[in-house]
Amino acid sequence: MPDLADRAEEQFSAAYPDERERDLAARWLGLLACQAKGGLLRWWEVPGLASALAVLTVRWAVLLVPTAAVLAWGITGARYNAPGSGYYAAFICVVCGIVLATLRRGRRRPRSSRAAAPAAAGRPGVTPAGTYLAARKACIIRTLALVPAGLAIGALATWGTSEAPWVMAADAIVAAAWGALKFGPYPLLKLSELELSVRWEERVRFLPLLEDAAGRGVLLRGAGAYGFGDPAVAAWLAGRGRAALAGYAQRQARRLAGRDPRAVLARFLTPGRIKRMAVDTALGAGVAAGIGVSLAIWSAVVITTRWTGVAGGVLAGAVVAGGSGAAGYWLLRSVVRGCRTSLVYLPLTSRRGRWAAGAAAAAAVVALVVWAGPALAGAAAFLLPSALVAACGGWACVLAYRKTRALPRWWQRAAPDVIAAATAGAALSAAFDHRLLTAMPAAGLLFPAAAWGSFLLWRRMNGSARVAVKAAADLVLALLLGGELVLLLVWLANVLGLPRREVAALRDVLDRAGTLADLPWWAWTGTWVLLAAASVAFVRWPIRLKKAARRFERWRVAAVAEITERALTGLHVGLLALVFVGLAAPPALMPALSGQLRAEYTSAYQRELLDEGELAAYTAIARQLAAQPRSPVLSQLVTKLHDLSPPDERQDGQQDASGTETSDARRLGEAQAAALVLAGAPALGSAAAAEAALNGTARDAATSAGFDQRPDAATDLAGTAATVQHEDTAQDDAAKRVESAADLAAKVVASLVAVPRLSDSEVLQVVREYLAGLIEDSPLKDTFAAWIKRLPGAQPPPEATAEVVPVPAALADAATAQLSAEFTDAGDSDPVTDPFIDDPALTSAQAEDPLDGAVDIVNQARYASDRSGPCSGCTLPGGSGDEPPGEEPPEEHELEP
């Protein structure tokens, strides 16, 4: 047997005199011989050597990415009509189903990518090269045949539009790609050659290889296949192929066990650790989402529905926990697969490969910044708080893991899980509410951790054996500390409420400090020249300069100079980050910030309009009612409200109004506003208030403020922010004027009320709440604002006397409508219109004087809403009622003998 192997090796060496060609042919022919059936080599069986999943993934990616790009380009740009869009959507759905089925089948059967034999393979006299040329010709014909189909589909999708030529060309290219890559053995062979060339790190073309071997006498051409001329050579090549496979497996094992960061990450992320990290992420995200949803529900509804908030929080937490856990598990598994796959297809074992990969990554980053700079800036601004929290929490988790992994008790080893869960929850919360990081005092604990982590990274880089890493240590530390300083300034400005002038002054001080730290080049050059001259002098005259040399050694002058230079340089670079952020951040974030500033300006201007409307209403009431005589209607209202107030809400000698009085008074004001039947006015307080305001005076104000176009420079953005701050200040001043006018109007109206047994303080408070409900909680302020600003559709407001002094019948009708709304909003039947509901309080109120009945009905509406305070005989939504006050059920007593 050894003689046969030696003879086969001699024959193969004689056929391939060149050593490089001999090794290449022996390896690839040996791999083909390992899978040859009956000693025959067929070129369409070459895909069996390649990874089926990799080949199919590449093919479907090449097919689907252009197809999806054409579809998205047409639909997002509104270039397609309805039939064309529907066709493409259905097409993509069908193709995605085919892709999933194919990839799953390819994963189960690794050789499922082997193509069927060409039609001409079994014909007599047909050589293997002939079948190859026939398959390539058929592929070209199919490609050209599908081009007219793509043109027709593009014309159908863009019929009657100006984009038809471009869409037709794009569809023709996509159709040609489908014809070139999807059908036949030829495209599968080419994809397999690409996969094998990348995986084995050498270029291979199988048909020239087989033809060359046949020309050298190693192979014999048959009917559509190649055969070995000598069985001994075939057996020897098969052994070489098995040895190549074993060597390849060992090489991959060494790569996975090496010090490459991808290999280290793949080894660290074991299945157990992946599950543990996914569970930690699920717990943290679920708890954070549950608490957030519960707090949102509690702040949006009344306190009696606390269990509803708990149930909603538990449900939301469970949903978020399940989704985040599954997403984290899938992401970590994908990271492991990506690391292993990249080690196979992108090992980066050579310096040239690393430089090429770095250059490609840099080019990709530059292209993304050029094409999608604003979107990337917005994404970075959105993810930066979460990234900082995740980085600090991850570092703390790693430290806790190192300290607790050898502890005996399980609850001690669970400390990293607690930190990881808290980090996941905090990162999720910071992603949805950036104020948690930029405005909360507790966020200040992150900055020392980030600074310490930067120092540890610098120490690790400074101790590296690589010169480039060691040289970049100071620069990296300076940039990291500079970025953290920027975030620290933002946090301090938000927490301490620093105005823009103080922030600008602080930045100016830091900028000057960085300028002072940047000593001129000649200063350091002269210092090092003097130190070098001193060293030469110590060597030249060691006895004469013995004392000076000892002082130099004791003071370590050279080390101090080096440390001082590095520290000042790092300080200058770190403080220079403030300048970089000031120059680069506004242009990058300008599109997003300009939209936010416009929305904030519009909202502030809208609030100012509403405040001006309230101010005008209060001023009109105070001016027009100052000389009016006392009103018996208002006196009767205040007296009735006082009589409904329970005695237990007042303490002995208390002169203020009770909570029931003020709540009923505000509701009476709302009912009076509804009874006025105001003419239609722009809804300045609705969700569409911005658009409504911008239709009139606010659009002119926004245009004059520079919001009609996007700022083009950082100074424009700063000026726009100053305009927004000025508008906020104006809105605050308007709110203060409204408070003063409301107090004055309440005093004027209270002077019209004459109730001897009530104190002046109680009357004033009741009237104040009545006016607040009449103006602040009703469309009356919109009417005044629209009228004074001359907005389209504005109508003159009613007179002050008609506003304040109600008509009893109209007020009773408005109060009845208010009560009906409370019951219908709760999903119950209306007690006013439903004859089957027996409501003693409503019946009694309708039989009273209209003014007193209106107060009773308003009191019942309040009781139906918050279920507090007295309401004798009132019916609640759901059919429950209130027992009359003072009538308690009789107690049962045992009979005494």
Side-chain angles (χ1 to χ4, degrees):
M1 197 68 183
D3 296 337
L4 294 177
D6 294 341
R7 183 171 59 83
E9 185 177 0
E10 291 177 359
Q11 292 181 3
F12 196 81
S13 300
Y16 289 92
D18 185 79
E19 183 178 0
R20 184 175 180 278
E21 292 182 353
R22 182 168 63 249
D23 293 339
L24 180 66
R27 178 163 52 254
W28 290 112
L29 291 176
L31 292 175
L32 290 174
C34 290
Q35 69 163 11
K37 295 182 179 180
L40 298 179
L41 303 181
R42 301 174 179 85
W43 63 266
W44 58 86
E45 294 180 351
V46 168
L49 293 175
S51 171
L53 184 61
V55 171
L56 295 177
T57 301
V58 171
R59 182 171 69 177
W60 285 114
V62 173
L63 292 176
L64 287 182
V65 169
T67 306
V70 170
L71 175 65
W73 173 53
I75 292 180
T76 56
R79 296 179 174 87
Y80 291 165
N81 51 29
S85 300
Y87 167 78
Y88 276 104
F91 176 75
I92 287 295
C93 292
V94 172
V95 169
C96 288
I98 296 174
V99 170
L100 292 176
T102 306
L103 292 180
R104 289 180 179 179
R105 185 172 64 251
R107 184 174 296 182
R108 288 195 305 266
R109 292 180 297 176
R111 295 197 176 189
S112 63
S113 61
R114 183 181 301 178
R123 298 178 185 177
V126 177
T127 62
T131 60
Y132 176 85
L133 295 176
R136 185 173 63 181
K137 181 179 179 181
C139 179
I140 295 174
I141 293 175
R142 279 192 300 269
T143 301
L144 297 178
L146 287 178
V147 170
L151 294 175
I153 293 172
L156 175 65
T158 57
W159 186 266
T161 63
S162 60
E163 303 289 339
W166 297 101
V167 176
M168 291 172 61
D171 287 351
I173 294 174
V174 170
W178 279 85
L181 295 178
K182 181 64 181 74
F183 306 103
Y186 176 77
L188 205 56
L189 172 68
K190 290 302 177 182
L191 291 176
S192 301
E193 288 180 351
L194 176 63
E195 192 274 337
L196 290 171
S197 299
V198 174
R199 181 152 58 97
W200 287 81
E201 302 178 27
E202 59 185 10
R203 177 68 184 277
V204 58
R205 297 175 60 192
F206 284 99
L207 186 69
L209 176 70
L210 295 174
E211 284 293 319
D212 182 63
R216 296 174 185 266
V218 177
L219 299 179
L220 301 177
R221 298 184 181 90
Y226 298 92
F228 289 98
D230 191 346
V233 174
W236 180 78
L237 287 175
R240 289 293 301 267
R242 289 189 291 270
L245 290 175
Y248 176 79
Q250 293 177 0
R251 184 178 62 181
Q252 293 305 118
R254 287 195 301 269
R255 288 179 179 175
L256 290 174
R259 301 179 59 183
D260 191 285
R262 295 168 295 175
V264 174
L265 184 60
R267 292 196 304 269
F268 177 78
L269 293 177
T270 60
R273 287 174 177 167
I274 290 177
K275 293 180 182 178
R276 183 177 179 181
M277 296 169 69
V279 170
D280 295 339
T281 303
L283 290 177
V287 171
I291 294 176
V293 171
S294 298
L295 294 177
I297 294 177
W298 291 341
S299 61
V301 299
V302 295
I303 196 171
T304 54
T305 58
R306 184 174 298 274
W307 287 110
T308 304
V310 173
V314 170
L315 179 60
V319 173
V320 173
S324 59
Y329 183 80
W330 173 82
L331 182 62
L332 293 175
R333 289 289 301 272
S334 300
V335 168
V336 173
R337 294 195 192 100
C339 292
R340 294 179 181 273
T341 304
S342 63
L343 285 174
V344 173
Y345 296 104
L346 197 63
L348 301 180
T349 54
S350 62
R351 179 184 293 267
R352 181 179 299 178
R354 290 191 293 269
W355 278 104
V365 170
V366 171
L368 285 176
V369 171
V370 172
W371 291 340
L376 290 177
F382 178 78
L383 295 176
L384 183 60
S386 299
L388 179 60
V389 173
C392 295
W395 177 58
C397 186
V398 171
L399 291 181
Y401 176 76
R402 291 179 178 177
K403 298 295 183 181
T404 61
R405 59 184 174 181
L407 295 178
R409 296 180 178 85
W410 66 269
W411 57 268
Q412 294 174 337
R413 296 193 302 271
D417 300 295
V418 175
I419 297 176
T423 301
L428 180 64
S429 302
F432 287 95
D433 190 359
H434 289 181
R435 294 174 300 176
L436 298 176
L437 184 62
T438 59
M440 291 189 65
L445 298 176
L446 295 176
F447 296 105
W452 180 248
S454 302
F455 171 74
L456 292 181
L457 178 62
W458 170 83
R459 189 171 65 179
R460 189 70 176 269
M461 294 179 65
N462 197 42
S464 176
R466 298 181 179 180
V467 179
V469 175
K470 189 173 183 178
D474 294 340
L475 181 61
V476 171
L477 176 64
L479 292 177
L480 288 177
L481 293 181
E484 293 167 11
L485 180 60
V486 173
L487 295 178
L488 179 61
L489 288 179
V490 174
W491 176 75
L492 287 176
N494 291 329
V495 171
L496 302 179
L498 299 178
R500 295 179 66 251
R501 293 182 178 179
E502 295 183 6
V503 176
L506 182 59
R507 286 188 54 186
D508 186 50
V509 170
L510 293 176
D511 188 18
R512 291 184 179 181
T515 304
L516 294 176
D518 185 25
L519 297 179
W521 64 270
W522 50 265
W524 292 114
T525 303
T527 301
W528 291 113
V529 168
L530 289 177
L531 291 177
S535 300
V536 172
F538 294 153
V539 174
R540 178 67 178 81
W541 300 287
I543 299 176
R544 185 180 304 176
L545 300 176
K546 184 177 181 180
K547 293 184 179 180
R550 288 179 179 178
R551 290 179 180 177
F552 262 66
E553 292 179 0
R554 186 186 310 162
W555 294 343
R556 298 184 179 181
V557 177
V560 170
E562 181 183 1
I563 294 174
T564 304
E565 180 186 8
R566 295 176 65 177
L568 291 179
T569 303
L571 178 63
H572 173 67
V573 173
L575 294 178
L576 198 62
L578 295 175
V579 181
F580 288 158
V581 171
L583 294 176
L589 300 178
M590 197 176 296
L593 290 180
S594 61
Q596 296 178 3
L597 291 175
R598 176 184 174 87
E600 185 175 353
Y601 176 85
T602 305
S603 177
Y605 189 80
Q606 168 201 348
R607 294 192 302 269
E608 186 182 359
L609 281 179
L610 298 179
D611 290 339
E612 290 183 1
E614 296 178 12
L615 178 62
Y618 283 124
T619 304
I621 290 174
R623 184 178 64 252
Q624 298 179 20
L625 296 182
Q628 294 292 326
R630 294 188 174 183
S631 172
V633 176
L634 293 178
S635 300
Q636 184 179 352
L637 279 179
V638 175
T639 303
K640 182 64 176 177
L641 288 172
H642 176 77
D643 294 339
L644 287 177
S645 178
D648 55 354
E649 288 191 7
R650 291 189 180 86
Q651 299 177 359
D652 295 338
Q654 183 178 359
Q655 301 295 323
D656 294 335
S658 64
T660 302
E661 280 184 277
T662 56
S663 179
D664 286 343
R666 183 175 284 268
R667 283 181 172 270
L668 272 174
E670 296 174 4
Q672 171 61 13
L676 293 176
V677 191
L678 301 173
L684 299 181
S686 64
E691 294 299 329
L694 287 178
N695 287 333
T697 309
R699 182 178 295 279
D700 300 333
T703 302
S704 63
F707 288 99
D708 56 335
Q709 58 185 356
R710 189 176 68 184
D712 295 327
T715 55
D716 297 338
L717 191 63
T720 305
T723 304
V724 172
Q725 186 176 9
H726 176 73
E727 188 59 38
D728 287 336
T729 304
Q731 189 270 328
D732 294 337
D733 295 339
K736 294 178 181 178
R737 293 196 301 270
V738 168
E739 290 294 329
S740 301
D743 294 337
L744 178 60
K747 293 178 180 179
V748 171
V749 176
S751 66
L752 306 180
V753 178
V755 183
R757 58 193 180 92
L758 270 67
S759 65
D760 294 339
S761 175
E762 182 177 356
V763 173
L764 182 62
Q765 292 176 11
V766 171
V767 171
R768 180 68 175 84
E769 290 298 323
Y770 173 74
L771 294 180
L774 175 63
I775 297 174
E776 298 174 9
D777 298 337
S778 73
L780 191 60
K781 61 180 180 299
D782 297 340
T783 302
F784 273 92
W787 179 249
I788 63 177
K789 290 297 183 180
R790 297 294 186 269
L791 297 183
Q795 298 293 332
E799 295 294 331
T801 305
E803 295 172 6
V804 177
V805 181
V807 177
L811 182 61
D813 294 339
T816 304
Q818 192 179 98
L819 178 63
S820 300
E822 291 292 344
F823 275 81
T824 54
D825 291 344
D828 205 354
S829 300
D830 187 2
V832 179
T833 59
D834 194 343
F836 298 100
I837 297 179
D838 184 15
D839 192 340
L842 179 61
T843 304
S844 175
Q846 291 175 344
E848 290 180 327
D849 178 76
L851 197 60
D852 293 340
V855 178
D856 287 333
I857 294 174
V858 165
N859 183 62
Q860 184 177 0
R862 175 201 52 78
Y863 182 70
S865 175
D866 55 24
R867 307 186 183 189
S868 63
C871 192
S872 178
C874 294
T875 301
L876 292 174
S880 60
D882 187 20
E883 295 292 338
E887 298 182 3
E888 298 180 357
E891 298 180 357
E892 297 182 359
H893 300 279
E894 294 183 0
L895 296 178
E896 296 181 0

